Amino acid sequence: MTPREVVVAGAGVTGLLAAVECALAGHHVTVLDRGPIPNPDASSADQHRALRTFAPGDAAATRRMAAAHRRWLELETLLGDRFLRRVGIVTAWPDGDVGGVLEAAIGAGVPVSTVAPETLPHIGFPAGTTGVLELDAGVLLADRVLRTAVRWLDAHPAVRLRPWSAVTEVDGDTGKVTLAGGEVLGADAVLVAAGPWTPDLVGLPAVRHRQTMLYLRPPAELARWWETAPGAGRIGADARAWLLPPGDGTLLKISSDAVCREVPDTDCAGDGPADWTQALLAASILSDVDRYTVVAAKQCHYLTGDVDALLARVGSAVQARAACGGTGFATAPLAARRFVTTITEETA
């Protein structure tokens, strides 16, 4: 195989893991980012993200997530750090639907068990629901993933990391990448993995959304309980909220689809978090929420649209990833592998 010259635009989780896969395959990789690497403003920069396998009613998605889970465990060994807190993730289901959910999970080979809401008294289950706990699911330590990948890449002779190198234009057919200062880089293959900024560089049919997340510190008397608590989804009074538990230096994180809104760009000016913060605190996600301390509120962005869940071809030399958010982070290893597979197939 002839080594290829690869440029990756965006040093979030997809870009960094794609660079890892390319280096492992023998290619030369340049990673560009508009800020530092890793970039705390990247859409994948966060304390933690959920990793679960079971997608009720979608066998293909379940298989895909199982493959992603396996690759995350392999990456722990390869990169030399632990990323996954295997605390489980519980989702709330109407009592009448629980039997069907359990049957589907068993059929998919996903270990689950039922959980009575009263055994998790500090999590707000909707009325008339029962928890289904996915036992092998858990929490990915997102910022640790980024830092560890950067450390591995920085030590690899085939990789060049270029922070503060904003990309302004990408030619899909020639593979030429233009930087803000006018410099033009040539490449055999380009991956645009710039999260919610990807549509600014390539023509993907995507819609931007903004969501507010809150980071909280539990009261001291509940700290030990939360250290072993699972993640949770389909919770809150309207079953639209989720949470990730604290642990390994992370805070308790909550959000809800109810505070998700479509936006034209990533400029948060004039969209202060105060109203969204109050909406989250009032959503019955936590019992006795007044006992918790709000440490920070964060506005994050993600994309939706009719694009491939992993990669989209936007020119003969360029592929792009529009996915971002929780599922986008969890499936990043699959997108990275697909990217390097296409390069290898085109070289053969």
Side-chain angles (χ1 to χ4, degrees), residues 2-274:
T2 303
R4 309 282 278 179
E5 294 295 330
V6 180
V7 169
V8 175
V13 64
T14 296
L16 292 175
L17 293 186
V20 168
E21 296 288 356
C22 285
L24 291 172
H27 302 301
H28 302 290
V29 190
T30 299
V31 180
L32 308 170
D33 198 89
R34 60 195 177 92
I37 297 177
N39 190 342
D41 292 328
S43 61
S44 51
D46 199 356
Q47 294 186 8
H48 36 24
R49 295 291 174 91
L51 179 64
R52 54 191 298 246
T53 298
F54 182 45
D58 193 336
T62 297
R63 290 192 297 271
R64 183 166 60 245
M65 292 310 303
H69 194 135
R70 290 192 296 271
R71 187 54 181 161
W72 277 114
L73 297 180
E74 294 168 353
L75 286 168
E76 287 186 324
T77 300
L78 172 68
L79 301 180
D81 209 341
R82 183 179 66 86
F83 306 135
L84 178 62
R85 294 185 65 229
R86 188 174 169 270
V87 294
I89 294 181
V90 63
T91 48
W93 293 89
D95 292 335
D97 294 344
V98 171
V101 173
L102 292 175
E103 183 178 354
I106 293 169
V110 178
V112 294
S113 65
T114 56
V115 176
E118 55 267 27
T119 65
L120 296 173
H122 307 297
I123 297 175
F125 283 75
T129 64
T130 296
V132 174
L133 177 65
E134 186 178 325
L135 299 171
D136 290 335
V139 174
L140 285 167
L141 301 172
D143 283 341
R144 183 182 296 180
V145 170
L146 302 184
R147 291 193 303 268
T148 303
V150 167
R151 185 165 59 246
W152 188 93
L153 291 166
D154 199 37
H156 199 288
V159 179
R160 185 183 181 196
L161 301 178
R162 291 193 53 178
W164 307 108
S165 300
V167 176
T168 58
E169 186 177 348
V170 177
D171 189 310
D173 292 324
T174 66
K176 291 183 178 180
V177 176
T178 304
L179 306 186
E183 181 181 1
V184 178
L185 303 179
D188 299 309
V190 177
L191 172 63
V192 178
W197 298 276
T198 298
D200 297 335
L201 298 175
V202 293
L204 289 178
V207 178
R208 286 188 185 90
H209 300 268
R210 184 173 300 142
Q211 192 166 35
T212 300
M213 301 185 294
L214 293 185
Y215 299 82
L216 305 101
R217 183 173 294 113
E221 61 272 22
L222 295 182
R224 185 176 295 276
W225 187 91
W226 276 108
E227 284 284 341
T228 58
R234 298 173 55 91
I235 57 172
D238 59 3
R240 301 178 67 187
W242 50 265
L243 68 79
L244 293 180
D248 276 347
T250 67
L251 295 163
L252 170 64
K253 181 171 72 174
I254 63 172
S255 193
S256 170
D257 291 343
V259 299
C260 174
R261 57 272 190 199
E262 185 177 325
V263 292
D265 53 44
T266 58
D267 184 2
C268 294
D271 186 19

